[in-house]
Amino acid sequence: MAVLAALATSGATAQSAQRDDLGVEDRDRVARVTAPTRDFSRAETFETLPAGAGTTRKLVNADIFSHPSANLTFEGRQQFLVGNGLFRKDWVSAPSSTQASDGLGPLFNARSCQACHTKDGRGTVPGFDPLERTDAVALLLRLAVPPSTDEHRRLLASGELPFVPEPVYGSQLQNFAVAGLPAEGRLEIEYEPVAVALNGGETATLMKPVYRIEDPGYGPLRDDVQISPRLAPPMIGLGLLEAVHPADILANAAADHGDGISGRPNWVRDARSGQTALGRFNWKASQPTVEQQSAVAFSNDMGLSTPLFPSHYGECTAAQPACFDMPHGAQPRLGEHEVPGELMDFVTTYAVNLAVPQRRDVDDARVLAGKKLFYEANCVACHVPKYVTRRDAERPEHRFQLIWPYTDLLLHDMGEGLADGVSEGQASGSEWRTPPLWGIGLTRTVNPNATWLHDGRARTLLEAILWHGGEAQAARDRVVAMTPQQRADLIRFLESL
C-alpha cells in the first residue's frame, strides 16, 4: 500500500502545473477527477468511456478499431469516410491511367496505410515459425550510423536531424521497389528462446529476436550501421492524445513516481512551423502531430510526396541515382504533390478520429483485483491512467474530455533487453515512449496474428511485461513475484482495457 500512498502524492504534484486553458475552478475540478484512485472495490465514474464522449459503443468485432469518434458532426463523419478511403486505397507506380492514385515509390514498404495498420490496429510481424514466415510489411527497419562529422553533430544538436541515416540506404530499409529498380533488401529474423522463472512454479518463455538484412540491393551497408525494427501501432485515440495539454505531460516528467522512474519529453522539430515541439507519437515520441506522423509515413513507407515532405522520391539517397530517374505521380491538374494538401487533411481527420471502444467488465471482481495489482506494482507511474483534454483543442470533438489512455507520452529507459542502439532526437537507444494501453484487450479481436512491443516480439501480454527493464524493472519484478492467480487477474484487467 506504500506505493498507492506515493501515487496519491505524486498525482497531486503532477496536476499542480498550470494549464493556460483552464480557470482556477476548472483546474481544481480536473485535479480531483484525474487523481489516482485508491478505491478498488468498484469501477470509477465514467471508466467505461475511455475516450469520453468520443467513445464508440459499436458491436465488438474485427472492425471495432475502425469507427469514427461518436461525437463527430455529420460533416466530420463525411470527411472521416473520405479519409478512410484514402487510408485503405492501394497506390500504384507512375505513370498510370489512375492518375489520382499513382506515384508509389520508387522505393517503398507498403502500398497502403492499411497494409501496415491492420484494420487500424497493430501490424503483424513476419512470424515466429520459420516455416510460416511472411514478408515484413508492418515491421519497418530504421537505419542509423554514428555521427562522424561536425555537420552531423550540428544537425543533431539543432534537432534538424533525428539521427544520421545510413549513407546509401537512408533512414529506413525499403523492401520493395517499382519495376526497373532493385529493392533495398529484406529483413530476416531469428528468435532465441529465453526462459523466465515465475513465482508459483510457472515458467514463461520469451523470444529474443536477432535481426539481419539479406540481399542488399545497393551494395553492403556500413559495418557500424545500427538497426531498429518498428512495428505499426494501433491508430485509435490519436487525436485525443494530441489534445492532452503539454503542462500535464511535463508535470508527469517532474513528478516523483518512485522506483527511480523519471520519464522525460522528446523535443522534436515541427515540420509545419519549423519550431521545436513536444513529441507525442511514434515509438520514440519523435513526431509532434498526427498530421506530421502521417506525412512521414507517406514519404518513407510509400514514397509519396506531401506538402510537409515534398520530395517525389521519398527515401531515395544520392547513392541511388537510378531512383531519381523514375517517373513520379504529381499531376499539374491535381496539384504539385502526389498527396495534395486537401487529401492530407482528409487522412488526418480520419487518423485523429478513430474511436476508442467502450471498456468491458469494469465491475468484474477479477478485473478490479487486477486493477489494484496494476497500481500496487507501480505500472501507473508510466502508464498514467487518465487526463482531461484541453478546452482549446483544435478540434471541437476533442475538447475537455475525460480520457483513459494509460500513458504519460514520455520517454523511459527500458533497459538493455529492449535497447536497439538507435537514438532518435533526444531519445537514446534504450528509451521508448510509453505506449497507450486503451484498446489493448481487443488487439487480437482486430488482428488475430498481432503481437506486442515495438518489434512484436511479445506473443502475450505477460511476455510484454516480462521484457520490461531499466526504469520498469521494479514493476516487472513485482509481477514475477505475484502468485499465478494474481498474474491472471492482472492480465484480466489489461484485457478489459
Side-chain angles (χ1 to χ4, degrees), residues 97-250:
S97 59
T98 56
Q99 294 184 355
S101 298
D102 69 2
L104 179 72
L107 301 169
F108 61 97
N109 295 100
R111 293 178 177 273
S112 70
C113 306
Q114 190 79 197
C116 292
H117 302 275
T118 305
K119 286 187 170 290
D120 304 299
R122 204 172 299 265
T124 306
V125 297
F128 292 89
D129 186 339
L131 299 178
E132 298 180 359
R133 292 287 166 83
T134 59
D135 287 330
V137 174
L139 187 65
L140 307 176
L141 204 60
R142 288 275 186 273
L143 305 174
V145 296
S148 57
T149 67
D150 290 340
E151 179 65 4
H152 285 165
R153 286 181 275 274
R154 184 193 70 78
L155 292 172
L156 291 171
S158 68
E160 297 173 65
L161 197 65
F163 54 85
V164 180
E166 208 280 343
V168 173
Y169 290 85
S171 63
Q172 186 169 306
L173 185 78
Q174 274 83 25
N175 48 341
F176 298 107
V178 299
L181 275 185
E184 290 189 322
R186 57 185 175 86
L187 171 64
E188 286 290 331
I189 315 172
E190 293 180 0
Y191 290 96
E192 301 172 357
V194 178
V196 179
L198 307 173
N199 182 39
E202 295 184 339
T203 301
T205 301
L206 307 184
M207 302 297 282
K208 179 181 178 181
V210 178
Y211 300 98
R212 68 180 188 275
I213 297 171
E214 296 287 349
D215 302 328
Y218 298 86
L221 286 83
R222 280 246 307 248
D223 291 339
D224 58 353
V225 67
Q226 300 159 326
I227 63 175
S228 175
R230 307 286 177 85
L231 184 65
M235 300 285 294
I236 58 173
L238 298 184
L240 291 166
L241 295 179
E242 194 167 273
V244 174
H245 199 286
D248 287 345
I249 299 172
L250 299 178

Side-chain angles (χ1 to χ4, degrees), residues 102-396:
D102 69 2
L104 179 72
L107 301 169
F108 61 97
N109 295 100
R111 293 178 177 273
S112 70
C113 306
Q114 190 79 197
C116 292
H117 302 275
T118 305
K119 286 187 170 290
D120 304 299
R122 204 172 299 265
T124 306
V125 297
F128 292 89
D129 186 339
L131 299 178
E132 298 180 359
R133 292 287 166 83
T134 59
D135 287 330
V137 174
L139 187 65
L140 307 176
L141 204 60
R142 288 275 186 273
L143 305 174
V145 296
S148 57
T149 67
D150 290 340
E151 179 65 4
H152 285 165
R153 286 181 275 274
R154 184 193 70 78
L155 292 172
L156 291 171
S158 68
E160 297 173 65
L161 197 65
F163 54 85
V164 180
E166 208 280 343
V168 173
Y169 290 85
S171 63
Q172 186 169 306
L173 185 78
Q174 274 83 25
N175 48 341
F176 298 107
V178 299
L181 275 185
E184 290 189 322
R186 57 185 175 86
L187 171 64
E188 286 290 331
I189 315 172
E190 293 180 0
Y191 290 96
E192 301 172 357
V194 178
V196 179
L198 307 173
N199 182 39
E202 295 184 339
T203 301
T205 301
L206 307 184
M207 302 297 282
K208 179 181 178 181
V210 178
Y211 300 98
R212 68 180 188 275
I213 297 171
E214 296 287 349
D215 302 328
Y218 298 86
L221 286 83
R222 280 246 307 248
D223 291 339
D224 58 353
V225 67
Q226 300 159 326
I227 63 175
S228 175
R230 307 286 177 85
L231 184 65
M235 300 285 294
I236 58 173
L238 298 184
L240 291 166
L241 295 179
E242 194 167 273
V244 174
H245 199 286
D248 287 345
I249 299 172
L250 299 178
N252 285 330
D256 179 7
H257 297 289
D259 289 338
I261 293 171
S262 55
R264 65 192 189 98
N266 194 2
W267 295 102
V268 300
R269 182 177 179 274
D270 186 313
R272 179 169 289 282
S273 68
Q275 303 298 311
T276 298
L278 182 64
R280 299 171 187 250
F281 305 105
N282 207 321
W283 286 104
K284 289 187 181 274
S286 59
Q287 301 299 339
T289 65
V290 177
E291 178 193 37
Q292 185 164 318
Q293 173 67 38
S294 301
V296 166
F298 272 122
S299 179
N300 290 1
D301 302 351
M302 291 181 280
L304 294 163
S305 57
T306 66
L308 285 185
F309 300 98
S311 171
H312 303 314
Y313 303 98
E315 264 271 287
C316 296
T317 70
Q320 299 165 327
C323 203
F324 294 95
D325 293 333
M326 293 293 166
H328 60 73
Q331 308 293 333
R333 65 185 180 84
L334 299 175
E336 58 183 307
H337 307 107
E338 291 160 322
V339 186
E342 183 181 11
L343 298 192
M344 271 303 306
D345 290 343
F346 283 127
V347 171
T348 302
T349 296
Y350 177 74
V352 299
N353 278 307
L354 281 161
V356 180
Q358 185 175 9
R359 275 280 308 276
R360 302 154 313 286
D361 303 326
V362 294
D363 284 315
D364 181 86
R366 299 270 58 91
V367 169
L368 290 169
K371 179 181 176 181
K372 184 171 185 286
L373 291 164
F374 188 81
Y375 276 66
E376 288 180 339
N378 205 16
C379 301
V380 290
C382 302
H383 292 285
V384 175
K386 49 189 170 175
Y387 300 87
V388 172
T389 60
R390 51 194 307 162
R391 272 200 181 278
D392 57 353
E394 178 182 352
R395 296 172 185 263

